[in-house]
Amino acid sequence: INENVYTIDGKFYRRVTSLIKEYGLYPDYPAGGNAMEFGKNVHKACELWDKGVLDMDTLDPALVPYLEQWKAIIKRGYLWTYIEHTVVSKTYGYAGTLDRAVNNCIYDIKTGYPASWHGVQLALYKIAYQEQEHIKVRDMYCVYINADNYRLIKYNKKSDMAVALAILTIKNWKER
């Protein structure tokens, strides 16, 4: 499995995170780092909860406080249109997995701290989601979850979209 590409219908598409890494926006985390692995586990627990298939008896107790924070978000009335939805931009030749979408808003789940590249990541998801689903995205959010609270931060800076488009322009120029 190549972590830098998706294979969809026999075609290769660069991953959003690999583009962000290639252009120097993503921190260089150690491979298999504990924090990164823990974040993936929180992410999976939230996904299984949202899909109604999480077996709480098998859940690592360390994940429970994070899941409780996620449940607090759900109590705000979110009924997800998409959960862990792969989006593809055939125009720009990349793909990513959108964590959550509802109506014309997209959400990304994070267990770390806010970082400038998060807005660029969301902008890349927005471009692909709009192209694929023919929907205009109004707002983009990161949901930062930790053991005792959560923060919902809106990312709609024009500069994030400008950086995303710059990455795609350079990527496509290099691939010609």
Side-chain angles (χ1 to χ4, degrees), residues 18-38:
S18 77
L19 290 172
I20 290 171
K21 285 178 186 176
E22 181 178 337
Y23 293 97
L25 303 178
Y26 190 84
D28 191 18
Y29 296 116
N34 290 339
M36 203 163 140
E37 193 62 34
F38 186 78

Side-chain angles (χ1 to χ4, degrees), residues 85-116:
H85 183 58
T86 300
V87 292
V88 179
S89 171
K90 293 181 179 179
T91 301
Y92 292 105
Y94 75 94
T97 301
L98 184 63
D99 292 350
R100 303 292 185 280
V102 60
N103 299 326
N104 56 354
C105 297
I106 59 176
Y107 298 81
D108 200 59
I109 301 168
K110 304 285 186 198
T111 54
Y113 299 97
S116 59

Side-chain angles (χ1 to χ4, degrees), residues 67-135:
L67 182 61
E68 291 304 317
Q69 293 305 317
W70 181 247
K71 289 182 195 178
I73 294 164
I74 302 304
K75 287 179 186 173
R76 295 176 68 173
Y78 293 103
L79 296 173
W80 305 116
T81 307
Y82 292 109
I83 299 169
E84 299 300 319
H85 183 58
T86 300
V87 292
V88 179
S89 171
K90 293 181 179 179
T91 301
Y92 292 105
Y94 75 94
T97 301
L98 184 63
D99 292 350
R100 303 292 185 280
V102 60
N103 299 326
N104 56 354
C105 297
I106 59 176
Y107 298 81
D108 200 59
I109 301 168
K110 304 285 186 198
T111 54
Y113 299 97
S116 59
W117 65 269
H118 295 164
V120 176
Q121 179 184 28
L122 283 165
L124 288 165
Y125 289 150
K126 176 181 179 175
I127 293 166
Y129 182 63
Q130 289 183 149
E131 178 184 328
Q132 179 177 301
E133 302 299 328
H134 309 288
I135 188 169

Side-chain angles (χ1 to χ4, degrees), residues 43-58:
H43 211 273
K44 190 66 175 176
C46 294
E47 174 190 355
L48 295 174
W49 174 263
D50 287 351
K51 291 179 175 178
V53 295
L54 179 63
D55 181 354
M56 290 297 290
D57 294 333
T58 63

Side-chain angles (χ1 to χ4, degrees), residues 7-24:
T7 305
I8 301 168
D9 298 328
K11 294 183 181 177
F12 296 104
Y13 295 93
R14 292 286 305 279
R15 288 182 177 267
V16 167
T17 50
S18 77
L19 290 172
I20 290 171
K21 285 178 186 176
E22 181 178 337
Y23 293 97

